[in-house]
């Protein structure tokens, strides 16, 4: 019979990359972690890890088994959560991943507020512009911009009508002039960021005559979109990113929009779960909470072409 504690230690070891680190996280002896995984291997009659004196990695069988092991642990946690929901307020870990700029400057204060309303929750946050893997990583949900390519995931809308905004600081425009046509962007310093291991340097626009893509260049690139926004506010160039991320800078006059809102590429924001079975009460309430906050923030400074 498979012991769920053994399955949990296997998952933690796969994430940590070693018995010693998994044991440290679980506050058990490394020998206990090793023995637990060996017991699971005997029960399954297969090797889950390939080991050498210098390294340890998942075997082919371990790679196949890991998603199912996660599902077993999740099912146990959901069962415990279901019992807890009948007795008390939301509780337990809430493991989220989100983009750097949106996470730090938009979502973080809202998550503080959400946790204060539900003090039984413990937040585990990852902020990165590298796409998170909901299947392999121990996450309850991710906040992600754009349309969803993998239809097996569950996407809960947070800001369906959000778009990118083409912006620059007044100081930059005073020095370099305001681009009038999209082709003018080719002579401007366009601040770019890395997403999914690629530089986002082909900016897409939705003009009345049809979609248009402009290849842009500039002297600054970062794998942190928050840094790119800060460069733009400092007057270093033109930025093209989610209006939700830029709205406080627009309201304060630190940035100026250069193109009508409807001409910019859609950038819908979602809260994404691996499967509907992962839609816990905490995720459901977080979705409603964040969706309301996103709507209020966007309504606080509507684009000029939407006023009136």
């Amino acid at each position: 019979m498979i012991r769920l504690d053994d399955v949990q230690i296997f998952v933690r070891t796969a994430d940590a990359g070693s018995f010693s680190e998994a044991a440290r996280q679980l506050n058990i002896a490394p020998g206990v972690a090793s023995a637990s995984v060996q017991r699971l291997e005997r029960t399954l009659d297969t090797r889950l890890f390939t080991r050498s004196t210098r390294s340890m990695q998942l075997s082919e069988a371990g790679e196949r088994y890991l998603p199912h092991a996660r599902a077993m642990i999740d099912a146990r946690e959901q069962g415990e959560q279901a019992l807890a929901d009948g007795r008390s307020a939301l509780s337990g870990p809430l493991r989220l991943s989100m983009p750097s700029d949106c996470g730090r400057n938009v979502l973080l204060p809202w998550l503080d507020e959400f946790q204060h309303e539900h003090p039984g929750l413990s937040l585990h946050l990852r902020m990165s512009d590298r796409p998170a893997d909901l299947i392999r990583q121990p996450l309850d949900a991710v906040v992600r911009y754009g349309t969803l390519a993998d239809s097996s995931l569950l996407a809960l809308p947070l800001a369906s009508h959000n778009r990118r905004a083409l912006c620059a600081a007044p100081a930059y425009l005073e020095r370099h002039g305001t681009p009038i046509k999209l082709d003018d962007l080719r002579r401007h310093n366009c601040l770019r960021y890395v997403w999914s291991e690629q530089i986002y340097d082909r900016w897409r626009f939705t003009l009345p005559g049809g979609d248009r893509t402009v290849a842009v260049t500039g002297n600054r690139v970062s794998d942190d979109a928050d840094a790119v926004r800060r460069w733009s506010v400092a007057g270093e160039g033109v930025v093209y990113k989610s209006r939700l991320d830029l709205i406080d800078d627009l309201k304060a006059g630190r940035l100026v929009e250069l193109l009508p809102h409807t001409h910019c590429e859609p950038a819908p924001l979602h809260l994404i779960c691996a499967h509907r079975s992962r839609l816990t009460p905490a995720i459901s309430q977080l979705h409603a909470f964040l969706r309301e906050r996103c709507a209020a923030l966007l309504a606080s400074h509507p684009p000029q072409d939407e006023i009136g």
Side-chain angles (χ1 to χ4, degrees), residues 138-158:
L139 294 167
D140 296 307
V142 302
V143 177
R144 186 181 299 172
Y145 281 114
T147 55
L148 193 61
D150 188 344
S151 60
S152 67
L153 302 177
L154 177 65
L156 307 170
L158 295 177

Side-chain angles (χ1 to χ4, degrees), residues 32 81 143 153 278:
V32 173
Q81 183 67 55
V143 177
L153 302 177
R278 303 286 293 275

Side-chain angles (χ1 to χ4, degrees), residues 87 216 278 284:
R87 297 190 298 262
V216 299
R278 303 286 293 275
S284 295

Side-chain angles (χ1 to χ4, degrees), residues 189-300:
N189 195 41
C190 295
L191 306 172
R192 298 158 296 154
Y193 58 88
V194 176
W195 174 253
S196 190
E197 308 298 333
Q198 292 186 335
I199 297 176
Y200 181 63
D201 58 2
R202 294 181 62 81
W203 293 0
R204 299 176 182 85
F205 301 90
T206 55
L207 305 182
D211 294 351
R212 174 84 184 278
T213 298
V214 180
V216 299
T217 60
N219 63 9
R220 299 192 181 198
V221 179
S222 176
D223 64 353
D224 187 327
D226 185 28
V228 174
R229 182 189 60 81
R230 291 171 185 264
W231 285 338
S232 184
V233 170
E236 298 295 341
V238 179
V239 68
Y240 188 48
K241 66 191 308 293
S242 164
R243 193 173 189 274
L244 192 67
D245 298 352
L246 304 176
I247 199 162
D248 282 343
D249 296 318
L250 293 170
K251 290 166 68 174
R254 295 186 291 266
L255 291 177
V256 176
E257 290 183 86
L258 307 177
L259 201 65
H261 177 66
T262 54
H263 293 186
C264 296
E265 183 180 25
L269 186 67
H270 296 93
L271 182 68
I272 300 174
C273 298
H275 191 268
R276 185 166 294 278
S277 64
R278 303 286 293 275
L279 189 59
T280 64
I283 295 297
S284 295
Q285 291 194 38
L286 178 66
H287 168 236
F289 179 89
L290 293 181
R291 187 173 187 175
E292 179 182 328
R293 295 304 185 278
C294 285
L297 180 59
L298 290 171
S300 70

Side-chain angles (χ1 to χ4, degrees), residues 3 5-6 9-10 13 19 22-23 26-39:
R3 296 170 53 171
D5 287 346
D6 293 346
I9 291 172
F10 161 66
T13 302
F19 288 126
L26 294 169
N27 196 29
I28 60 177
V32 173
S34 177
S36 178
V37 171
Q38 290 176 22
R39 181 167 52 240

Side-chain angles (χ1 to χ4, degrees), residues 2-3 6-8 10 35-46 48 65 69:
I2 293 176
R3 296 170 53 171
D6 293 346
V7 176
Q8 182 180 33
F10 161 66
S36 178
V37 171
Q38 290 176 22
R39 181 167 52 240
L40 180 60
E41 289 177 324
R42 289 194 300 272
T43 303
L44 297 172
D45 193 24
T46 191
L48 299 173
Y65 185 66

